[in-house]
Amino acid sequence: MVFKTQLYTLTGVPPERQKIMVKGGILKDDTDWSTLGLKDGQKLMMIGTADEIVKAPEKGPVFVEDLPEEEQAAALVLFHVLEIDQTTPCKKGHSAGLYNLGNTCYMNSTLQCLHSVPELKSALLSYSDNVRGNGVDQASHSLTVATRNTFGELDQSVRPVAPLHFLQMLRKKYPQFAQQQNNVYMQQDAEECWTQLIYTLSQTLTSEASEPTAAQMKELFGIDLVSRVHCAESGEESSESESVYSLKCHISHDVNHLHEGLKHGLKTELEKVSPSLGWTAIYTRESRINELPRYLTVQFVRFFWKRESNQKAKILRKVDYPLELDVYDFCSDELKLKLQTPRQVLRDAESAKFGLKVEVKTSSSQNIEGSSTSAGESSMDIDKADSSVPKKQLTGIYDLIAVLTHKGRSADSGHYVGWVKQDDGKWIEFDDDNPSIRKEEEILKLSGGGDWHMAYICLYKARVI
């Protein structure tokens, strides 16, 4: 299939219409190439047509507006009739799938979810092909260019895209994604692919090769944490700070909701040698968020190493997650103070929207108008609000825009799928090259508890004022 996909990119002949002639007959998809005795430079013949076979219409034209609502939505996906944002060269949505090039669903689902971030696409568009920033290696540069080009193909195509060049650059930068078993590329962990890609882009998109106006990766995805590390045995206490690109939802027998899992993830125990005691002691680390990003990534820690079977095992427990996530309780006192005024403005705007009485504290905060876009970002007339509040301030409230799910019992097997919210409020399930319209209630059923697809990574967009 990978070979046929390569031929498709060169000839435009879809894999299902290709016939590869070899000695003894037609090459089948499951043929063992080592038995063919091929030599370097040997020519193979491919038969197929790149053009659609023209058939006489069986019935007259049907207009989209005459279709039932569900069929209208499907037609919009099929013909790629999506709204274009006039303030950015990037489209707000797309409908093209990605061909599976051999156990690459982990990569496809990652790309589809990250493609939903328009600021990331804008930053990639400003990245130069020829200029490599200081400290950026060639492999990272090539992977960034491949990411930009793949996103561009998704925006411009109505047919599935073959991300062959991206896959090659990913494996060149991170050889672990090229692992094989019995001459077949192995399934990989989507979270590792997500993390490595974000890390690479954080290095390249903040270098001299990108425009100064490009949104930096830390602003888009970075989370600053402050931690209090305490040892009950010795009484030692210290503070630490770090920047991460995701929050962890730890899953245990008493975790039923994302909020509970995040709370567990921000309080951990570690063992290290105590300077005052002179032996290994248990320390407790309690972390709080000190700076929030525009896009919040949450990983459900569903996989752990099982010594008995020597492989990653999966926690199937059902953990519910919300369409709207408020992380205010996880913030430091300093950040909570900064969020108070924007949150009040947001509450007043939402109250006014629903016709509720708004308590007016100052004359400058009257007549606040607000609305929530289908993508989840609040927009309001700040000019009518408190003039002391700068525009585009975070509120600590986030709206779900993408979910990466896993189906199966192990991280190194099973199947990954991306579910992405469109600007019209509908969701698209990107199952490799087969996109499908989904309803919002279906997204909330991806919480686990069985062998069906369950959320592994959730991507939330900040609600700002």
Side-chain angles (χ1 to χ4, degrees):
M1 180 57 71
V2 175
F3 177 63
K4 287 188 173 182
T5 302
Q6 289 176 307
L7 292 178
Y8 168 68
T9 61
L10 295 172
T11 65
V13 179
E16 64 272 13
R17 297 220 302 269
Q18 295 178 17
K19 291 185 179 180
I20 314 298
M21 309 303 294
V22 295
K23 186 177 180 180
I26 299 175
L27 179 67
K28 297 182 179 180
D29 291 341
D30 57 354
T31 299
D32 186 353
W33 282 66
S34 63
T35 64
L36 298 178
L38 298 177
K39 301 178 180 179
D40 290 342
Q42 182 173 337
K43 294 183 179 180
L44 302 178
M45 178 183 292
M46 182 193 75
I47 301 175
T49 174
D51 298 324
E52 295 288 346
I53 300 175
V54 180
K55 296 180 180 180
E58 297 179 359
K59 56 183 180 180
V62 178
F63 296 99
V64 173
E65 54 267 27
D66 296 330
L67 294 172
E69 182 180 351
E70 289 298 320
E71 293 185 27
Q72 285 186 34
L76 291 179
V77 172
L78 178 61
F79 294 109
H80 205 192
V81 182
L82 294 168
E83 182 183 2
I84 298 178
D85 186 356
Q86 301 299 323
T87 64
T88 173
C90 303
K91 292 182 181 179
K92 291 183 178 179
H94 75 289
S95 62
L98 290 165
Y99 280 117
N100 191 315
L101 305 180
N103 285 331
T104 58
C105 58
Y106 70 93
M107 178 189 75
N108 291 348
S109 54
T110 296
L111 286 172
Q112 294 287 15
C113 289
L114 291 178
H115 182 266
S116 66
V117 180
E119 295 92 336
L120 176 58
K121 290 192 285 183
S122 295
L124 285 166
L125 282 175
S126 69
Y127 188 78
S128 172
D129 281 34
N130 304 317
V131 181
R132 186 152 51 96
N134 294 333
V136 176
D137 60 276
Q138 182 61 46
S140 296
H141 171 72
S142 299
L143 180 57
T144 303
V145 172
T147 305
R148 183 200 64 195
N149 294 344
T150 302
F151 281 4
E153 289 184 73
L154 287 173
D155 281 330
Q156 297 167 12
S157 178
V158 295
R159 299 181 64 181
V161 171
L164 183 59
H165 184 240
F166 177 88
L167 177 61
Q168 292 171 338
M169 295 304 101
L170 178 68
R171 288 173 174 168
K172 184 176 181 180
K173 172 64 179 175
Y174 300 106
Q176 66 265 35
F177 296 113
Q179 291 177 319
Q180 296 187 39
Q181 189 174 48
N182 300 324
N183 295 320
V184 176
Y185 285 108
M186 298 172 59
Q187 176 70 284
Q188 300 292 333
D189 189 336
E191 189 273 331
E192 291 182 17
C193 180
W194 183 300
T195 300
Q196 300 289 23
L197 182 57
I198 288 291
Y199 173 77
T200 299
L201 297 179
S202 71
Q203 301 298 305
T204 57
L205 294 182
T206 55
S207 67
E208 293 87 343
S210 59
E211 294 293 333
T213 55
Q216 294 198 0
M217 292 294 291
K218 187 177 186 304
E219 179 185 344
L220 290 179
F221 301 101
I223 308 163
D224 284 351
L225 297 178
V226 290
S227 304
R228 170 181 172 268
V229 183
H230 175 71
C231 178
E233 188 176 359
S234 66
E236 299 170 58
E237 185 171 316
S238 62
S239 59
E240 299 176 354
S241 60
E242 63 176 330
S243 294
V244 297
Y245 281 94
S246 66
L247 294 180
K248 309 295 184 184
C249 173
H250 285 211
I251 302 174
S252 60
H253 66 279
D254 57 345
V255 172
N256 299 302
H257 193 273
L258 173 60
H259 198 274
E260 298 167 340
L262 290 176
K263 186 177 180 180
H264 279 265
L266 291 171
K267 184 176 182 179
T268 57
E269 289 187 348
L270 65 152
E271 291 186 2
K272 64 178 182 178
V273 176
S274 168
S276 60
L277 297 176
W279 60 75
T280 301
I282 297 177
Y283 289 75
T284 300
R285 176 190 281 122
E286 297 182 71
S287 301
R288 288 290 178 266
I289 302 171
N290 205 42
E291 187 173 340
L292 287 166
R294 288 294 302 273
Y295 293 87
L296 182 66
T297 303
V298 176
Q299 181 212 346
F300 292 80
V301 186
R302 289 198 172 275
F303 298 106
F304 66 97
W305 189 256
K306 198 171 184 180
R307 294 181 180 177
E308 304 87 67
S309 57
N310 199 33
Q311 65 177 5
K312 287 183 180 178
K314 185 176 181 181
I315 302 174
L316 301 177
R317 183 178 182 83
K318 180 180 180 181
V319 179
D320 292 320
Y321 54 90
L323 295 173
E324 177 187 302
L325 177 65
D326 190 346
V327 296
Y328 182 81
D329 292 340
F330 305 127
C331 296
S332 65
D333 292 339
E334 179 184 351
L335 181 55
K336 285 181 177 178
L337 188 61
K338 293 179 182 178
L339 294 176
Q340 284 180 1
T341 301
R343 288 169 69 86
Q344 185 60 51
V345 173
L346 179 62
R347 282 194 293 267
D348 290 347
E350 291 180 343
S351 297
K353 178 179 129 179
F354 292 106
L356 301 178
K357 185 177 180 180
V358 178
E359 182 180 351
V360 180
K361 296 182 179 179
T362 64
S363 58
S364 61
S365 63
Q366 294 181 8
N367 300 322
I368 297 176
E369 297 179 1
S371 63
S372 179
T373 66
S374 58
E377 180 175 355
S378 293
S379 59
M380 56 189 66
D381 190 351
I382 300 298
D383 293 335
K384 298 179 182 179
D386 190 339
S387 59
S388 64
V389 181
K391 292 184 179 180
K392 299 299 181 183
Q393 277 203 328
L394 299 177
T395 61
I397 299 174
Y398 289 80
D399 294 290
L400 185 66
I401 62 166
V403 182
L404 190 154
T405 62
H406 178 265
K407 179 181 180 182
R409 297 273 174 160
S410 170
D412 300 324
S413 63
H415 187 54
Y416 292 98
V417 169
W419 313 66
V420 180
K421 188 175 184 180
Q422 305 300 295
D423 284 344
D424 59 4
K426 294 184 174 64
W427 287 76
I428 296 183
E429 174 193 358
F430 288 104
D431 186 353
D432 289 329
D433 58 330
N434 297 307
S436 305
I437 290 286
R438 296 300 179 196
K439 295 181 179 179
E440 194 166 73
E441 52 264 32
E442 295 180 83
I443 305 304
L444 293 176
K445 294 179 181 179
L446 304 172
S447 53
D451 287 330
W452 180 236
H453 284 283
M454 60 186 70
Y456 187 28
I457 299 175
C458 284
L459 183 62
Y460 286 88
K461 181 178 182 180
R463 193 176 294 181
V464 299
I465 61 168

